[in-house]
Amino acid sequence: MSRAPQIPLRAGNFSRQAHADLPDGTYEREVGREGFGGQATHFYHRHPPTAWTHWEGAHRPRAFDLNQLGPGQCPLEAPLVASNAHLQLRVWKPVEPMPYLVRNADGDELFFVHAGGGDLYCDYGHITLGEGDYFVLPRGTMWRLEPHGPSFILLLEATGAAYRLPDRGLLGEHALFDPAVLDVPQIDGSFLAQQSVQPTSVRVKARQRLSTITFGFNPLDAVGWKGTLVPIRLNWRDIRPVSSDRYHLPPSAHSTFVTDRFAVCTFCPRPAETDPGALKVPFFHSNDDYDELLFLHAGQFFSRSGMGPGAMTFHPSGFPHGPHPGPYKTSRSNPRTRIEEVAINIDARDPLDLAKGLTGCELAGHVESWLEFTEDIES
Ligand SMILES: [Fe+2]
């Protein structure tokens, strides 16, 4: 697909190339539409766009330690983290094998195994999930999990919708990951062995209400299947991220799964930019059409300070965000050559509501975490 070039209108002192060769002493902020895919303008500010000194009101950047959420058995009732009309994000920490099946009739379910894993049985067969696995389960599929031990799994429901792989565009069909790395459940010996005529219950979530259906047999009784509507497993280690040594790519370059109303991106270990003039941390940005959740799976957020695996930040639209002062300054004075992080970014086109129960695990002071920038401002 091509389009006519849109020549930016310009004023004052600016860089001709976004994210590179900033005018001396300035901080770049991108104001953009459609989640880095639409119209955008770059401002070159005298001061860091996140160098606020005081903030009143509930609409603010927030951070949470999801490690503090407790265990639970039923994935359909796992603690809600964030939601809107088009998605529900839950944190599920199973410990014991599920004694019943579940079916989410409200939308496709995307798993991300942050820790642990187990044997998953579903309409399509048996598959093992382990640390770092994504698993997309089509809406309405019956399933249960036998965890191998205490586990920590993100469940992201695409309410009323289906997950798709993003358009690779000019990169081609085998970029980021070859679809051949995707795995599907198998009708294997383990699956056939669990088939029985024991009474089996299925808990169904439909229209966000639960029902229970009981059979006189285990309805996971398929002996085979064929089709294009299938669950898929993808481990982040099979993602081969694109990068540029001269240009900091936007989060959308790391899209892994998309729906019509949100995108899931995976930030994987990758080389950092090396061009002397290129920004080496994310640019400050006002992603004004999107609310953003960022979950750290492994490593250290390369642009943020003091957050370990299991932490999640929430940056709704309405204000800019960007790198923390420490990483920003380090990127200017002693830039790292590699980024060692595995993080899941959820960009939602519609405003997200955080669950009330989340306040118990909030990391206080996130809104003040850019305060160090103010020390550099000369009066
Ligand atoms: Fe962002």
Side-chain angles (χ1 to χ4, degrees):
M1 191 175 74
S2 62
R3 63 184 181 190
Q6 292 183 296
I7 308 301
L9 304 176
R10 295 159 291 190
N13 195 7
F14 58 89
S15 172
R16 288 158 59 92
Q17 172 60 58
H19 322 324
D21 304 330
L22 275 54
D24 284 347
T26 65
Y27 298 83
E28 182 192 66
R29 176 173 65 109
E30 177 172 303
V31 178
R33 308 300 296 270
E34 298 300 333
F36 307 102
Q39 290 178 294
T41 288
H42 299 93
F43 291 92
Y44 297 90
H45 293 287
R46 293 183 189 277
H47 303 121
T50 54
W52 44 73
T53 58
H54 189 64
W55 192 301
E56 291 182 23
H59 191 76
R60 57 176 57 201
R62 300 174 69 181
F64 304 88
D65 179 10
L66 301 184
N67 296 298
Q68 296 180 25
L69 296 175
Q73 180 156 290
C74 181
L76 301 178
E77 297 180 297
L80 189 66
V81 169
S83 64
N84 62 28
H86 304 285
L87 70 83
Q88 292 205 353
L89 175 64
R90 296 176 185 275
V91 169
W92 181 41
K93 297 185 176 178
V95 177
E96 304 288 336
M98 292 165 60
Y100 45 77
L101 301 169
V102 294
R103 166 190 283 154
N104 188 348
D106 285 326
D108 279 13
E109 197 87 80
L110 173 66
F111 296 56
F112 180 76
V113 182
H114 174 57
D119 291 295
L120 187 138
Y121 298 89
C122 67
D123 285 306
Y124 295 80
H126 165 235
I127 193 165
T128 301
L129 300 182
E131 176 274 316
D133 278 341
Y134 283 110
F135 185 58
V136 180
L137 199 62
R139 179 179 188 170
T141 303
M142 290 186 291
W143 64 276
R144 68 183 175 86
L145 183 75
E146 294 184 1
H148 295 161
S151 299
F152 181 148
I153 299 172
L154 299 179
L155 295 175
L156 183 58
E157 172 190 295
T159 308
Y163 285 103
R164 307 186 305 273
L165 300 180
D167 179 10
R168 269 43 176 254
L170 297 175
L171 295 173
E173 280 302 297
H174 308 108
L176 300 181
F177 61 85
D178 188 323
V181 304
L182 300 172
D183 292 312
V184 298
Q186 296 294 314
I187 306 288
D188 58 13
S190 181
F191 183 69
L192 295 173
Q194 57 91 55
Q195 296 180 345
S196 75
V197 290
Q198 298 296 317
T200 303
S201 295
V202 185
R203 304 189 79 192
V204 179
K205 184 167 83 69
R207 301 187 184 188
Q208 307 302 342
R209 294 176 301 191
L210 294 181
S211 308
T212 301
I213 307 168
T214 301
F215 293 84
F217 57 93
N218 180 355
L220 299 187
D221 61 354
V223 297
W225 54 267
K226 62 165 279 292
T228 56
L229 178 64
V230 294
I232 52 172
R233 180 185 65 189
L234 169 70
N235 192 280
W236 69 261
R237 293 172 181 82
D238 285 322
I239 297 173
R240 297 168 190 263
V242 290
S243 61
S244 164
D245 66 340
R246 300 197 66 205
Y247 173 75
H248 186 87
L249 294 169
S252 49
H254 305 285
S255 297
T256 309
F257 300 105
V258 297
T259 74
D260 289 339
R261 303 304 291 181
F262 67 92
V264 178
C265 309
T266 313
F267 301 146
C268 294
R270 58 198 183 278
E273 298 78 7
T274 56
D275 184 279
L279 278 180
K280 297 168 182 66
V281 285
F283 42 91
F284 296 98
H285 54 283
S286 299
N287 188 10
D288 279 330
D289 286 330
Y290 278 73
D291 279 9
E292 301 181 13
L293 294 168
L294 184 61
F295 175 82
L296 181 64
H297 170 58
Q300 169 70 41
F301 282 132
F302 84 111
S303 61
R304 296 184 189 167
S305 305
M307 291 186 187
M312 183 191 78
T313 60
F314 173 57
H315 291 154
S317 66
F319 52 85
H321 60 264
H324 273 141
Y328 187 84
K329 292 174 185 177
T330 301
S331 77
R332 313 289 284 183
S333 60
N334 184 26
R336 61 185 69 188
T337 56
R338 274 192 66 78
I339 299 161
E340 298 293 351
E341 67 176 9
V342 182
I344 312 300
N345 188 54
I346 301 168
D347 278 4
R349 182 65 178 79
D350 308 279
L352 288 166
D353 295 316
L354 295 181
K356 289 187 173 64
L358 211 55
T359 52
C361 62
E362 182 151 13
L363 297 167
H366 184 59
V367 71
E368 287 100 18
S369 58
W370 290 269
L371 207 55
E372 188 188 323
F373 272 135
T374 63
E375 297 171 1
D376 304 331
I377 297 173
E378 297 173 4
S379 57

